[in-house]
């Protein structure tokens, strides 16, 4: 199903200018540890250099990778090229913060090999940006997009967040419309979620933020899907839209289809041969381990076949490609669950695969429970 | 040879029996102070969590009295709650006397009287003890008056104590040695020992608690259990200290235990007599009166493969709770199970909890019900304790339900609310009396069915915990009884049916629909819940489907987290019962008869 069968490489840059109050990713709002981290990262690359063969995607995420100087980024790329093999046409993605993208920076990214940029726009509305604690403006995002095109990037993704306290459906459509003027190849629309140990989590608990209700969530989700599909995008995963099939995020597909991936940097996860492991969620502990020539791995799990199947079903139900019927034992299901779910419009069957509908996407967390 | 005294401590609930036992255990030096904990005889977790005694517990105390005479006191601490009265009556069969405890601030209450009568039936010596005299609200004169008037006992005999502060304990012990007669019984006669309790130990087989009335038993003997004829070789005999303590023998007059490799659970019957195989006693001891359950409910395993396990668990459990009766049962919705009879709602709750905790069972229990009597048009009469067997309404000539006489003791200020509650529960024929100033006893004739349906919870709520209540079965009375069915997603769930009075049917139906709505998780589709009498829908509620249930992101690290959550949810779902395409949690079957959250 998945055409991107080679290994994926992820690098977690754990630094941000300021910490956004909704964000659950691991990063710190300080630059003082960058050079130490860089050295550790290099060691980690060397540690894994013979354990993964060809890669066909690189994703430099975080955190805010564009907070690093062009020189530092170049160093990372050179080091990667020196120790890992990438197939031709590898997807090289970098996550970018709109405020960081000067044309020099964009040219530099292009020159060092990136062919895809994912821009953290989140919103164009000043109030929403303020609420989200973002340090850039809508205008900056627009000029960043223009800069990227001018530097020759032909594969640009935009991240947006919806479902904010007080946001109207109309306001959200406005944001989408503004996004569409740039004809991005890829759009991610994330509903605002409340992650543990973030300021938003606490504010919601104290009643300072009211999350939108289930009904609104539903209508935001369905409207987004209909609207973007109308405009020619493919709603290929719960939160992701691509202008054409070739613009699906190659890298993210690996997570959803058990393709091996190597994650470097603090808190990064890796997967290979039914084993998943993860790094320390602390720059200090990460660096210390590597400085002592040890792997910075905090834990791992070996997946049983049943767990693999459960994941295949659960993750498959989050994408337009669904999961292979053979993953589930339809004989042992209670009642004729499949036809009931089909009649209710949650699923369809395409050849040998069970595929969620738009309505199925809406309850994708619940659907896996219906299968043995 | 030390002299023996066998006695129980009996009282209304919470009057301080277990605390008094604590003080006696400490005073006789049975336990080092660092190993001591309050209500030390309440050794089941469930007793400690609820702060009440559920099982009678025997303990042997060595004691030297003021005259320097040596004694072995077999104390049995008993439960005070009416639902465990069978534990009390069995304990009494092993004793020559009782301490009748009365809380100095509460005075005589319902179970004080009931337990006194039980002790009198056994012809036991009764020592009244007034406890909690340390309380500011203690009214000793008042209690003395009650002892004279309500209990017809000699109040001069009453000993004053505070189990909490440890005052008066020595006097209690002295009185026991002075007034309670030593056990009779001849060591030279054939062995005759009464089984009053037992429990199953996976390694050692059934461990039997007994009172020896004649003869002697020691390791190596071959004993015979008289009702089944089974014989076993005795491995160990001993007494109860805080735990089992082996002894060379148990002789006439003593209370203790036997281990005899009894691996077949059904060999042991509570109330049976044990004798020597070689020299048997000519006739068994009278045993115990049969329990008469008043509340009935069916239990089913959550998954039908667990039926065998449940069968074994119930048999083993019954060794340790003789008040439970059960027989095979089956339901269209829930498969094979057991119809059980209980002494009350608390008893039911405890049985469920102990089966789950001690035997690892996951159970579904159905709506509790009482036994109804029907006279049919063809003259036949029918006893029905299970809504499944409610007869065709067209054939019913007369329907009868059990009535009880309730006695409710409350402080005067709650008269209004308690009257309202009783009238709402179809109480009739109210009477009042004033046992002590400020307190009132209200009596009502009331259908038993109304009492098992959350009455006690409601009484406690409206009286802020001050109400105590007791009941006696009165008679059967004619009433208009209908069967209320519950339909989930259009399917009738037989295990949720109940027999109710026509006037109460609608409100019960509404309550059931609302409670099920709270208990049954949302599904992908809409689930209607309906209450129906015959073909008529009298109540309904709807469980709305998920409108949205999906998280925005799922990358690298989230995958493990997501899978773990799913695994947990799947496990939870496995423990639910599938009725058609609806997953119903165990709790739903119980919730339908629980108090509405008013
Ligand atoms: N003030 C005071 N409180 C007491 C005294 N004796 C017992 N209590 C308290 O009364 C409560 C009930 O005591 P228990 O010993 O558990 O009563 P019980 O009679 O064994 O109760 P059940 O076994 O449930 O029937 C506890 O909180 C005790 O601490 C006493 O002499 N004075
Ligand atoms: S959202 Fe992006 S920029 Fe904001 S704290 Fe998280 S990683 Fe950093
Ligand atoms: Mg007690």
């Amino acid at each position: 199903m998945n055409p991107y069968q080679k290994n994926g490489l992820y690098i977690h840059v754990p630094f941000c200018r300021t910490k956004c109050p909704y964000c659950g990713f691991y990063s710190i709002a300080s630059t003082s540890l960058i050079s130490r981290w860089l050295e550790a990262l290099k060691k980690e690359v060397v540690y894994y250099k013979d354990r993964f063969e060809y890669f066909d995607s690189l994703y430099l995420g975080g955190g805010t990778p564009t907070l690093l100087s062009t020189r530092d980024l170049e160093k990372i790329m050179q080091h990667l090229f020196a120790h890992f093999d990438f197939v031709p046409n590898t997807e090289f993605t970098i996550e970018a913060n709109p405020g960081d993208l000067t044309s020099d920076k964009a040219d530099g990214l292009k020159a060092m090999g990136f062919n895809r940029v994912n821009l953290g726009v989140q919103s164009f509305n000043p109030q929403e940006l303020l609420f989200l604690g973002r340090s850039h403006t809508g205008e900056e995002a627009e000029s960043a997009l223009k800069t990227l095109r001018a530097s020759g990037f032909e594969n640009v993704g935009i991240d947006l967040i919806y479902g904010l306290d007080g946001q109207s459906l109309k306001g959200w459509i406005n944001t989408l419309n503004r996004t569409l003027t740039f004809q991005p190849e890829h759009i991610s629309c994330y509903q605002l979620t409340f992650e543990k140990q973030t300021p938003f989590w606490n504010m919601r608990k104290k009643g300072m933020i009211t999350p939108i209700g289930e009904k609104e969530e539903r209508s935001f989700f369905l409207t987004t899907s209909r609207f973007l599909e109308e405009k020619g995008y493919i709603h290929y995963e719960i939160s992701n839209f691509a202008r054409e099939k070739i613009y699906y995020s190659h890298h993210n597909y690996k997570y959803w289809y058990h393709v091996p991936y190597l994650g470097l940097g603090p808190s990064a996860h890796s997967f290979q041969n039914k084993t998943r492991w993860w790094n320390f969620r602390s720059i200090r502990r990460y660096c210390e381990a590597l400085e002592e020539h040890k792997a910075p791995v905090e834990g791992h799990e070996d997946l049983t076949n049943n767990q693999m199947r459960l994941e295949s079903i659960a993750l498959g139900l989050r994408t337009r490609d669904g999961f292979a019927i053979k993953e589930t034992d339809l004989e042992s299901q209670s009642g004729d669950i499949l036809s009931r779910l089909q009649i209710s419009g949650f699923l369809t069957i395409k050849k040998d695969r069970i595929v969620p509908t738009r309505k199925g996407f809406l309850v994708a967390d619940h659907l896996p429970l219906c299968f043995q | 040879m030390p002299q023996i005294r066998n006695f129980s401590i009996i009282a209304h609930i919470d009057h301080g029996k277990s605390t008094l036992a604590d003080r006696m255990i400490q005073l006789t030096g049975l336990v080092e102070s660092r190993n001591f904990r309050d209500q030390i005889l309440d050794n089941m977790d469930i007793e400690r969590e609820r702060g009440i005694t559920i099982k009678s517990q025997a303990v042997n105390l060595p004691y030297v009295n003021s005259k320097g005479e040596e004694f072995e006191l077999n104390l049995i601490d008993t439960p005070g709650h009416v639902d465990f009265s069978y534990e009390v009556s069995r304990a009494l069969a092993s004793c020559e006397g009782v301490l009748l405890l009365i809380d100095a601030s509460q005075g005589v209450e319902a179970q004080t009287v009931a337990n006194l009568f039980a002790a009198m039936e056994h012809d036991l010596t009764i020592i009244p003890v007034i406890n909690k005299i340390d309380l500011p609200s203690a009214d000793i004169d008042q209690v003395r008056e009650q002892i004279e008037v309500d209990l017809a006992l000699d109040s001069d005999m009453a000993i004053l104590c505070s189990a909490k502060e440890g005052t008066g304990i020595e006097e209690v012990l002295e009185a026991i040695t002075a007034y309670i007669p030593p056990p009779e019984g001849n060591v030279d006669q054939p062995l005759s020992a009464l089984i009053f309790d037992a429990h199953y130990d996976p390694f050692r087989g059934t461990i039997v608690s007994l009172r020896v009335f004649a003869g002697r038993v020691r390791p190596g003997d071959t004993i015979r259990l008289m009702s089944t004829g089974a014989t076993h070789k005795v491995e160990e005999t001993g007494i109860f200290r805080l735990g089992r303590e082996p002894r060379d023998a148990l002789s006439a007059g003593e209370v203790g235990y036997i281990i005899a490799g009894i691996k077949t659970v059904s060999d042991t019957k509570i109330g049976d007599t044990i004798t020597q195989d070689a020299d048997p006693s000519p006739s068994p001891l009278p045993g115990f009166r049969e329990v008469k359950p008043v509340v009935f409910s069916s239990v089913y395993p959550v998954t039908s493969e667990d039926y065998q396990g449940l069968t074994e668990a119930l048999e083993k459990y019954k060794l340790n709770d003789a008040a439970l009766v059960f027989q095979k049962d089956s339901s269209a919705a829930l498969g094979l199970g057991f119809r059980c009879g209980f002494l009350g709602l608390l008893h039911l709750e405890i049985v469920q909890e102990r089966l789950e905790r001690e035997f690892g069972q996951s159970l579904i229990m159905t709506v509790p019900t009482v036994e109804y009597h029907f006279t049919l048009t063809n003259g036949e009469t029918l006893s029905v304790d299970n809504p499944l067997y409610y007869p065709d309404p067209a054939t019913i000539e007369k329907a009868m339900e059990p009535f009880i006489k309730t006695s409710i003791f409350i402080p005067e200020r709650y008269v209004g609310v308690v009257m309202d509650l009783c009238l709402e529960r179809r109480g009739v024929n109210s009477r009042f009396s004033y046992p002590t100033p400020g307190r009132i006893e209200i009596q009502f004739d009331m259908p038993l069915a109304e009492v098992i349906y959350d009455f006690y919870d409601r009484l406690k709520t409206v009286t802020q915990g001050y109400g105590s209540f007791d009941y006696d079965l009165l008679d059967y009375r004619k009433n208009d009884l209908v069967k209320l069915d519950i339909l989930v997603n259009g399917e009738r769930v037989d295990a949720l049916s109940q027999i109710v009075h026509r006037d109460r049917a609608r409100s019960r139906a509404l309550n059931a629909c609302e409670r099920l709505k709270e208990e049954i998780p949302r599904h992908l589709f809409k689930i209607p819940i309906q209450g129906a009498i015959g073909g008529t829908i009298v109540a309904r509620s709807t469980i709305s489907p998920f409108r949205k249930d999906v998280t925005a992101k799922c990358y690298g690290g989230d995958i493990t987290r997501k899978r773990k959550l799913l695994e947990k949810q799947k496990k939870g779902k496995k423990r639910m019962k599938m009725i058609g395409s609806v997953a119903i949690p165990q709790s739903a079957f119980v919730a339908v008869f629980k108090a509405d959250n008013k």
Side-chain angles (χ1 to χ4, degrees), chain A residues 25 58-66 91-98 100-101 109 114-122 134 144-145 148 153 155-160 184-190 236 239-241 247-249 251-252, chain B residues 553 555:
Chain A
F25 291 115
L58 164 71
Y59 198 101
L60 199 61
T64 311
T66 49
E91 179 191 80
F92 289 102
T93 308
I94 183 166
E95 258 174 11
N97 178 37
D100 297 332
L101 277 185
L109 295 176
F114 287 103
N115 51 24
R116 185 169 182 270
V117 175
N118 206 59
L119 200 63
V121 173
Q122 319 311 355
R134 301 291 302 188
L145 282 160
L148 284 172
F153 281 99
N155 191 351
V156 172
I158 290 182
D159 282 0
L160 300 172
E185 282 66 38
H186 191 273
I187 307 176
S188 298
C189 300
Y190 297 114
Y236 74 97
S239 305
N240 290 292
F241 298 80
Y247 296 124
Y248 287 10
S249 165
H251 185 78
N252 288 342
Chain B
K553 292 183 195 175
Y555 302 123

Side-chain angles (χ1 to χ4, degrees), chain A residues 190-191 214 239 311 362 371, chain B residues 522 549 552 555 563 570:
Chain A
Y190 297 114
Q191 190 204 311
E214 212 179 271
S239 305
E311 287 190 1
L362 260 175
F371 295 96
Chain B
R522 290 194 293 169
D549 184 18
Y555 302 123
R563 193 199 66 242
K570 282 205 136 174

